[in-house]
């Protein structure tokens, strides 16, 4: 009987170890990622945010060129320093530099577990919290509960191209969702994603860029919004 009991214990241990191995194999681990193709004016990424080299110029209200060669220069440039029609470009560069800063911080942590999709798809974007939309001012987004597709009754998928999902929302608002960076940005051991929202109003001149941090705590959890900038 003792021999049978020992055999049973041995088989049980092998079974439990096998289950643990199978469970761990379902978890994907990713290294930090930065979408360098979307970094406007990028010359050299460097090793940190301070050494990131840009080459881009905007115009001042007086018509003078403002040379932006680093994220430090970008972050120190005020809205009033730029000609009005180019403010959205400054906004874009500030959003990009913020994403780059989070990427370099995530590099210090390295590879982490991820439950986020490898690339963006319409289903994932639709399942984002309803607040994952451009902040146009006026009505607060805080009261938007549920998912994006539940709130945006007229949501239409306009295109999906190389991981960029373009949607049409209410009030002639068109939004492109794209990944700017991935990594453990909130230091909880799980991969987060920085989504850039490139938006414009098709019936007006409004346009801009938002940055969202989203995460997914487990395989069966819904994606959640950590913050927006």
């Amino acid at each position: 009987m003792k021999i049978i009991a020992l055999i049973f214990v041995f088989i049980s241990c092998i079974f439990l170890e096998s289950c643990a191995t199978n469970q761990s194999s379902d978890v994907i681990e990713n290294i930090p990622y930065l979408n360098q193709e979307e970094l406007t004016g990028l010359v050299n990424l460097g090793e940190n945010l301070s050494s990131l080299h840009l080459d881009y110029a905007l115009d001042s209200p007086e018509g003078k060129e403002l040379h932006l060669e680093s994220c430090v220069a970008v972050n120190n440039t005020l809205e009033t320093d730029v000609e009005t029609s180019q403010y959205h470009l400054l906004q874009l560069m500030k959003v990009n530099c913020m994403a780059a800063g989070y990427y370099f911080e995530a590099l210090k942590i390295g590879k982490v577990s991820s439950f986020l999709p490898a690339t963006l798809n319409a289903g994932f974007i639709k399942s984002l919290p309803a607040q994952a939309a451009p902040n146009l001012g006026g009505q607060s987004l805080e009261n938007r509960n549920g998912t994006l597709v539940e709130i945006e009754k007229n949501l239409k998928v306009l295109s999906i191209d190389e991981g960029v999902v373009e949607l049409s929302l209410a009030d002639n608002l068109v939004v492109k969702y794209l990944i700017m960076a991935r990594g453990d940005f909130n230091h909880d051991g799980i991969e987060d994603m920085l989504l850039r929202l490139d938006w414009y109003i098709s019936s007006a001149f409004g346009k801009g860029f938002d940055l969202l941090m989203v995460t997914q705590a487990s395989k069966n959890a819904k994606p959640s919004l950590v913050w927006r900038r």
Side-chain angles (χ1 to χ4, degrees):
M1 291 296 292
K2 290 184 178 179
I3 296 176
I4 295 175
L6 288 173
I7 293 174
F8 176 76
V9 170
F10 179 72
I11 294 175
S12 297
C13 290
I14 293 176
F15 176 76
L16 291 173
E17 183 179 353
S18 175
C19 289
T21 302
N22 290 335
Q23 289 176 352
S24 63
S25 65
D26 292 337
V27 179
I28 298 173
E29 291 188 330
N30 291 333
I31 61 174
Y33 163 80
L34 179 65
N35 190 348
Q36 298 184 40
E37 293 183 0
E38 288 293 334
L39 287 178
T40 306
L42 179 64
V43 176
N44 185 12
L45 186 61
E47 297 180 353
N48 50 54
L49 193 62
S50 299
S51 61
L52 188 151
H53 182 201
L54 302 171
D55 184 11
Y56 201 75
L58 296 174
D59 296 322
S60 72
E62 297 76 27
K64 297 180 180 179
E65 280 197 347
L66 299 174
H67 293 281
L68 302 174
E69 298 181 348
S70 68
C71 281
V72 174
V74 170
N75 293 331
N76 288 336
T77 302
L78 303 177
E79 176 182 352
T80 53
D81 296 331
V82 177
E83 201 274 323
T84 305
S85 65
Q86 296 181 357
Y87 174 63
H88 69 286
L89 297 175
L90 176 62
Q91 184 186 16
L92 170 63
M93 298 187 75
K94 285 180 179 289
V95 165
N96 289 346
C97 283
M98 181 179 293
Y102 274 96
Y103 162 75
F104 283 117
E105 287 300 311
L107 282 179
K108 300 175 183 178
I109 299 175
K111 184 184 296 185
V112 292
S113 300
S114 176
F115 304 99
L116 294 165
T119 186
L120 292 187
N121 56 74
F124 178 76
I125 297 300
K126 289 178 180 180
S127 71
L128 289 174
Q131 297 174 13
N135 186 0
L136 305 183
Q139 186 176 1
S140 173
L141 295 175
E142 296 300 323
N143 297 324
R144 288 167 59 101
N145 299 315
T147 64
L148 190 63
V149 71
E150 290 171 344
I151 292 295
E152 295 287 344
K153 302 299 183 182
N154 297 320
L155 183 152
K156 294 181 180 178
V157 179
L158 300 180
S159 66
I160 303 175
D161 184 21
E162 296 183 355
V164 178
V165 179
E166 184 176 28
L167 301 182
S168 173
L169 305 180
D171 300 322
N172 298 310
L173 179 61
V174 178
V175 189
K176 284 186 178 181
Y177 292 77
L178 61 90
I179 299 173
M180 275 306 301
R182 305 174 69 120
D184 182 10
F185 303 130
N186 60 356
H187 301 168
D188 65 352
I190 298 174
E191 185 185 52
D192 312 301
M193 182 184 291
L194 293 181
L195 292 180
R196 198 180 80 198
L197 277 55
D198 303 1
W199 60 267
Y200 69 92
I201 301 174
S202 60
S203 60
F205 295 104
K207 64 174 64 175
F209 305 89
D210 286 11
L211 191 67
L212 311 182
M213 182 189 293
V214 299
T215 193
Q216 188 167 334
S218 67
K219 183 178 180 180
N220 297 321
K222 293 182 179 179
S224 59
L225 178 64
V226 181
W227 56 245
R228 62 180 307 118
R229 298 288 187 271

